[in-house]
Amino acid sequence: MNALQQWMEKHLVPVAAKIGSQKHLVALRDSFVGMLPATMVGAMATLVSVMIGTVPSAVQQLVQRSASDGSWTLSDKPVFEQLAGISSLVSQGTLTIIGLIFAFSWGYNLSKAYKVNELAGGIVGVAALVSGLPNIIGIATAGLSEKAMETVNNNIAAQGIATWKMGLSVGQLDAGAYFTVIIMGALAVILYAKLMLADITIKMPDSVPPAVSKAFLAIIPTIVAVYVVSIIYYFIKVWTGNDLIFLISKYIAEPFQALSQSIVSVLIVTFFVSLFWFFGIHGTNVLGAVLDGIWGPLQLANMDVYNKVGLQGVKDLVAKGATDKTHAIDGNFVTLWVRGSWDAFAWFGGTAGTITLIIAILWFSKREDYKTVAKLSVAPGIFNINEPVMFGMPLVLNSLFFIPLLLAPMVSVTIAYIATALHLVSPVVLQVPWVTPPFINAFMATGFDWRAIVVTAVTFAASFAIWFPFVIAANSMEEEA
């Protein structure tokens, strides 16, 4: 074990440390973190809408039996009806355009990494995305007669929109835009930053207010950056007949997301998150770009489907095999494993399911130092904060607990993955705060599927069964000492 540990410390830890400090990956991680208020507000809006529109079936049936016409629901009652409508608008302002929000966050944090004007960088990021959006009105009206075109223009004008404005595809502004934002946004913002650092700017006299001076400094870099990505968008469209955002989605995003549904891919990520933690490196942060960039959009897509069809609709889609875009039914499909699946079924108490370790210590340990740390770690552990036990025992660089640290989450993930694939539990379809306690997290995240509590209980028990023999072994080590 010592030889293996020394080899990993020499060869793996430096690589992990470089990944964890690489400025582009740090900026990407911070961009996803920065969007958390928007994603959580959108998730709350979805939750409210679903709770009002699809009250748990048992309660709903009871209410309907007591109603004279048998059709009473909360969604058409005063206050609830208005609350559902407001929540729909909240969702529209967050999850519907989450790709646009990400574009600003990515541009802002990438500019921050290069130590240039962050606000202008966020604007460049947004422009880099919007420049490449398809003009759906142009597509829809291509080849129409003069009379038909007049009808279209009249309908548009009735909405208070000038007929000459483009109709951009808002449908491309959701989580499906992530990969385009990452690629084209990075190109534009890095170019902007390089020009800023090269001092290719417009300088204003010292008497000009700082805010105005900063804005003028960014003009030339912004012009060049937005024009470069727009030129790329234009010629890709001319050469291929397709918009670049569509090509990126089809040939980059979809293959990555398809690979993400392999149990092997899921276990590899799970393994490395725990392995980095063993060396004191925040594994979830190091791999945050992968977790949030690949599995995050899938979770948002699941949320959108759940909002449309409800829990029973999700179950029906899974039962009919609509678990990828190829097998979509009426354009709807549900992804089996998403970002929140780890939090719901494996990372209870924090990475590696350490709340089960805390229970094992309180139950079996004879070591006063471990018990003291465990008692202090209970409250944070309930809310999935495990730094006290990670660094207090410590688990970091503790060769005795190396195996359960890696094995416990992998076993939990395997159980949950198989249960989801066999339709024994609904996939994660809602985003809940990561600090939500175990069991409640899974119940809410799966759209209030009670079976999630059972699956979590099984994974919880399996994790506990892996941790407690090592806790007992630690007792023996103390007695020998």
CSV table of all heavy atoms in Angstrom, one decimal, residues 262-285:
chain,number,residue,atom,x,y,z
A,262,SER,N,-22.8,5.3,-20.2
A,262,SER,CA,-22.2,4.0,-20.0
A,262,SER,C,-21.8,3.8,-18.5
A,262,SER,O,-21.3,4.8,-17.9
A,262,SER,CB,-20.9,3.8,-20.8
A,262,SER,OG,-20.0,2.8,-20.3
A,263,ILE,N,-22.0,2.7,-17.9
A,263,ILE,CA,-21.7,2.5,-16.5
A,263,ILE,C,-20.2,2.6,-16.3
A,263,ILE,O,-19.7,3.1,-15.2
A,263,ILE,CB,-22.1,1.1,-16.0
A,263,ILE,CG1,-21.8,0.8,-14.5
A,263,ILE,CG2,-21.5,0.0,-16.9
A,263,ILE,CD1,-22.5,1.8,-13.6
A,264,VAL,N,-19.4,2.3,-17.3
A,264,VAL,CA,-18.0,2.5,-17.2
A,264,VAL,C,-17.6,3.9,-17.1
A,264,VAL,O,-16.8,4.3,-16.2
A,264,VAL,CB,-17.3,1.9,-18.5
A,264,VAL,CG1,-15.8,2.1,-18.5
A,264,VAL,CG2,-17.5,0.4,-18.6
A,265,SER,N,-18.2,4.8,-17.9
A,265,SER,CA,-17.9,6.2,-17.8
A,265,SER,C,-18.3,6.8,-16.4
A,265,SER,O,-17.5,7.5,-15.8
A,265,SER,CB,-18.7,7.0,-18.8
A,265,SER,OG,-18.3,6.6,-20.1
A,266,VAL,N,-19.4,6.4,-15.9
A,266,VAL,CA,-19.9,6.8,-14.6
A,266,VAL,C,-19.0,6.4,-13.5
A,266,VAL,O,-18.6,7.1,-12.6
A,266,VAL,CB,-21.3,6.3,-14.3
A,266,VAL,CG1,-21.8,6.6,-12.9
A,266,VAL,CG2,-22.3,6.9,-15.4
A,267,LEU,N,-18.5,5.1,-13.6
A,267,LEU,CA,-17.6,4.6,-12.5
A,267,LEU,C,-16.2,5.2,-12.6
A,267,LEU,O,-15.6,5.4,-11.6
A,267,LEU,CB,-17.5,3.1,-12.7
A,267,LEU,CG,-18.8,2.3,-12.2
A,267,LEU,CD1,-18.6,0.8,-12.5
A,267,LEU,CD2,-19.1,2.5,-10.8
A,268,ILE,N,-15.8,5.5,-13.8
A,268,ILE,CA,-14.4,6.2,-13.9
A,268,ILE,C,-14.5,7.5,-13.2
A,268,ILE,O,-13.5,7.9,-12.5
A,268,ILE,CB,-14.1,6.3,-15.4
A,268,ILE,CG1,-13.7,5.0,-16.0
A,268,ILE,CG2,-12.9,7.3,-15.6
A,268,ILE,CD1,-13.4,5.0,-17.5
A,269,VAL,N,-15.5,8.3,-13.5
A,269,VAL,CA,-15.6,9.6,-12.8
A,269,VAL,C,-15.7,9.5,-11.3
A,269,VAL,O,-15.1,10.2,-10.6
A,269,VAL,CB,-16.8,10.4,-13.4
A,269,VAL,CG1,-17.0,11.7,-12.6
A,269,VAL,CG2,-16.6,10.7,-14.9
A,270,THR,N,-16.5,8.5,-10.9
A,270,THR,CA,-16.7,8.3,-9.5
A,270,THR,C,-15.4,7.9,-8.8
A,270,THR,O,-15.0,8.4,-7.7
A,270,THR,CB,-17.7,7.1,-9.2
A,270,THR,OG1,-18.9,7.4,-9.9
A,270,THR,CG2,-18.0,7.0,-7.7
A,271,PHE,N,-14.6,7.0,-9.5
A,271,PHE,CA,-13.3,6.6,-9.0
A,271,PHE,C,-12.4,7.8,-8.8
A,271,PHE,O,-11.7,7.9,-7.7
A,271,PHE,CB,-12.7,5.6,-9.9
A,271,PHE,CG,-11.3,5.1,-9.6
A,271,PHE,CD1,-11.1,4.2,-8.7
A,271,PHE,CD2,-10.3,5.7,-10.2
A,271,PHE,CE1,-9.8,3.8,-8.3
A,271,PHE,CE2,-9.0,5.4,-10.0
A,271,PHE,CZ,-8.7,4.4,-9.0
A,272,PHE,N,-12.3,8.6,-9.8
A,272,PHE,CA,-11.3,9.7,-9.7
A,272,PHE,C,-11.7,10.8,-8.8
A,272,PHE,O,-10.8,11.4,-8.1
A,272,PHE,CB,-11.0,10.3,-11.1
A,272,PHE,CG,-10.0,9.5,-11.9
A,272,PHE,CD1,-10.4,8.6,-12.9
A,272,PHE,CD2,-8.7,9.5,-11.6
A,272,PHE,CE1,-9.5,7.9,-13.6
A,272,PHE,CE2,-7.7,8.8,-12.3
A,272,PHE,CZ,-8.2,8.0,-13.3
A,273,VAL,N,-13.0,11.0,-8.6
A,273,VAL,CA,-13.4,12.0,-7.6
A,273,VAL,C,-12.9,11.6,-6.2
A,273,VAL,O,-12.3,12.3,-5.4
A,273,VAL,CB,-14.9,12.2,-7.6
A,273,VAL,CG1,-15.4,12.9,-6.3
A,273,VAL,CG2,-15.4,12.9,-8.8
A,274,SER,N,-13.1,10.3,-5.9
A,274,SER,CA,-12.6,9.8,-4.6
A,274,SER,C,-11.1,9.7,-4.5
A,274,SER,O,-10.5,10.0,-3.4
A,274,SER,CB,-13.2,8.4,-4.3
A,274,SER,OG,-14.6,8.4,-4.2
A,275,LEU,N,-10.5,9.3,-5.6
A,275,LEU,CA,-9.0,9.2,-5.6
A,275,LEU,C,-8.4,10.6,-5.3
A,275,LEU,O,-7.4,10.7,-4.5
A,275,LEU,CB,-8.5,8.7,-6.9
A,275,LEU,CG,-7.0,8.4,-7.0
A,275,LEU,CD1,-6.6,7.4,-6.0
A,275,LEU,CD2,-6.7,7.9,-8.4
A,276,PHE,N,-8.9,11.6,-5.9
A,276,PHE,CA,-8.4,13.0,-5.7
A,276,PHE,C,-8.6,13.4,-4.3
A,276,PHE,O,-7.7,14.0,-3.6
A,276,PHE,CB,-9.0,14.0,-6.7
A,276,PHE,CG,-8.6,13.8,-8.1
A,276,PHE,CD1,-9.4,14.2,-9.1
A,276,PHE,CD2,-7.3,13.3,-8.4
A,276,PHE,CE1,-9.0,14.0,-10.5
A,276,PHE,CE2,-6.9,13.1,-9.7
A,276,PHE,CZ,-7.8,13.5,-10.8
A,277,TRP,N,-9.7,13.0,-3.7
A,277,TRP,CA,-10.0,13.4,-2.3
A,277,TRP,C,-9.0,12.7,-1.4
A,277,TRP,O,-8.6,13.2,-0.3
A,277,TRP,CB,-11.4,13.0,-1.9
A,277,TRP,CG,-12.4,14.1,-2.0
A,277,TRP,CD1,-13.5,14.2,-2.8
A,277,TRP,CD2,-12.4,15.3,-1.2
A,277,TRP,NE1,-14.2,15.3,-2.6
A,277,TRP,CE2,-13.6,16.0,-1.6
A,277,TRP,CE3,-11.6,15.7,-0.2
A,277,TRP,CZ2,-13.9,17.3,-1.0
A,277,TRP,CZ3,-11.9,17.0,0.4
A,277,TRP,CH2,-13.0,17.7,0.0
A,278,PHE,N,-8.6,11.5,-1.7
A,278,PHE,CA,-7.7,10.8,-0.9
A,278,PHE,C,-6.4,11.6,-0.7
A,278,PHE,O,-5.7,11.5,0.4
A,278,PHE,CB,-7.3,9.4,-1.5
A,278,PHE,CG,-6.3,8.6,-0.7
A,278,PHE,CD1,-6.6,8.0,0.5
A,278,PHE,CD2,-5.0,8.5,-1.2
A,278,PHE,CE1,-5.6,7.3,1.2
A,278,PHE,CE2,-4.0,7.8,-0.5
A,278,PHE,CZ,-4.3,7.2,0.8
A,279,PHE,N,-6.0,12.3,-1.7
A,279,PHE,CA,-4.8,13.1,-1.7
A,279,PHE,C,-5.1,14.5,-1.2
A,279,PHE,O,-4.2,15.4,-1.3
A,279,PHE,CB,-4.1,13.1,-3.0
A,279,PHE,CG,-3.5,11.8,-3.3
A,279,PHE,CD1,-4.1,10.9,-4.2
A,279,PHE,CD2,-2.3,11.3,-2.8
A,279,PHE,CE1,-3.6,9.7,-4.6
A,279,PHE,CE2,-1.8,10.1,-3.1
A,279,PHE,CZ,-2.4,9.3,-4.0
A,280,GLY,N,-6.3,14.8,-0.7
A,280,GLY,CA,-6.6,16.1,-0.2
A,280,GLY,C,-7.0,17.1,-1.2
A,280,GLY,O,-7.1,18.3,-0.9
A,281,ILE,N,-7.2,16.6,-2.5
A,281,ILE,CA,-7.7,17.5,-3.5
A,281,ILE,C,-9.2,17.4,-3.7
A,281,ILE,O,-9.7,16.2,-3.8
A,281,ILE,CB,-6.9,17.2,-4.8
A,281,ILE,CG1,-5.4,17.3,-4.6
A,281,ILE,CG2,-7.4,18.0,-6.0
A,281,ILE,CD1,-4.6,16.8,-5.8
A,282,HIS,N,-9.9,18.5,-3.8
A,282,HIS,CA,-11.3,18.4,-3.9
A,282,HIS,C,-11.7,17.8,-5.2
A,282,HIS,O,-11.8,18.5,-6.3
A,282,HIS,CB,-11.9,19.8,-3.8
A,282,HIS,CG,-13.3,19.9,-3.4
A,282,HIS,ND1,-14.3,19.3,-4.2
A,282,HIS,CD2,-14.0,20.5,-2.3
A,282,HIS,CE1,-15.5,19.5,-3.6
A,282,HIS,NE2,-15.3,20.2,-2.5
A,283,GLY,N,-12.0,16.5,-5.2
A,283,GLY,CA,-12.3,15.8,-6.5
A,283,GLY,C,-13.5,16.3,-7.3
A,283,GLY,O,-13.4,16.4,-8.5
A,284,THR,N,-14.5,16.7,-6.6
A,284,THR,CA,-15.7,17.2,-7.2
A,284,THR,C,-15.4,18.5,-8.0
A,284,THR,O,-15.9,18.8,-9.1
A,284,THR,CB,-16.8,17.5,-6.3
A,284,THR,OG1,-17.0,16.3,-5.4
A,284,THR,CG2,-18.1,17.7,-7.0
A,285,ASN,N,-14.5,19.3,-7.4
A,285,ASN,CA,-14.1,20.6,-8.0
A,285,ASN,C,-13.2,20.3,-9.2
A,285,ASN,O,-13.3,20.9,-10.3
A,285,ASN,CB,-13.4,21.5,-7.1
A,285,ASN,CG,-14.4,22.2,-6.1
A,285,ASN,OD1,-15.6,22.2,-6.4
A,285,ASN,ND2,-13.9,22.9,-5.1
